[in-house]
Amino acid sequence: MKYRQLTKEQFENLHEEFARFLASQSIDVIEWKQIKEEKPQVAEEEMNVFSDVVWDDVITKTQYIEHFSETSVNLFKCNDEEIHRIAIKINWDINLLKQEGFEWLMKNPMDNSVDVFKGTKPYRSERNTEVFDLIEKGSAISKGEIFEYFNQLIS
């Protein structure tokens, strides 16, 4: 597997797509039930292939991801060849995971207690693998509004 298998909940949400995936391999509902019962390893392999297809599609379309902790934010813009990062660190007792902490940051981005760093680097390995790794470590896919807001402020 290139990524990881989708969760049970993700499979349930994508059941129609999974059914089409199986149909594209000439596997109908009756045959799928038989495979699951008689050849669980084959069923597992089919689920793994489908998971990789879904993850690859999602990650290829992902342009921005972000990771929040209580006192820091990491914002990423994922281009084809390189990844851009804006790292924000708050140097006083504020919780960015709470609404009021986040609102404070957005209203006071240039406060003396806010350190902002910006960097760009090429991917060390394949783009989608690195983006997936950041997602698995707790980053969330975003629309990029916060990245672009801070990018304009510091450019």
Side-chain angles (χ1 to χ4, degrees), residues 27-44:
I27 300 173
D28 62 18
V29 175
I30 295 167
E31 188 177 357
W32 176 243
K33 287 180 182 175
Q34 185 179 6
I35 290 170
K36 285 194 315 186
E37 290 173 13
E38 297 173 11
K39 302 176 187 172
Q41 288 175 308
V42 173
E44 194 75 17

Side-chain angles (χ1 to χ4, degrees), residues 62-66 75-78 86 106 140-152:
T62 297
Q63 294 182 327
Y64 297 93
I65 55 178
E66 56 194 29
L75 307 168
F76 301 93
K77 182 175 183 179
C78 310
I86 297 174
M106 298 308 283
I141 297 170
S142 74
K143 294 180 182 177
E145 294 105 334
I146 302 169
F147 180 96
E148 293 301 337
Y149 172 74
F150 277 94
N151 193 40
Q152 286 183 331

Side-chain angles (χ1 to χ4, degrees), residues 10 13 60 62:
Q10 289 168 326
N13 289 333
T60 297
T62 297

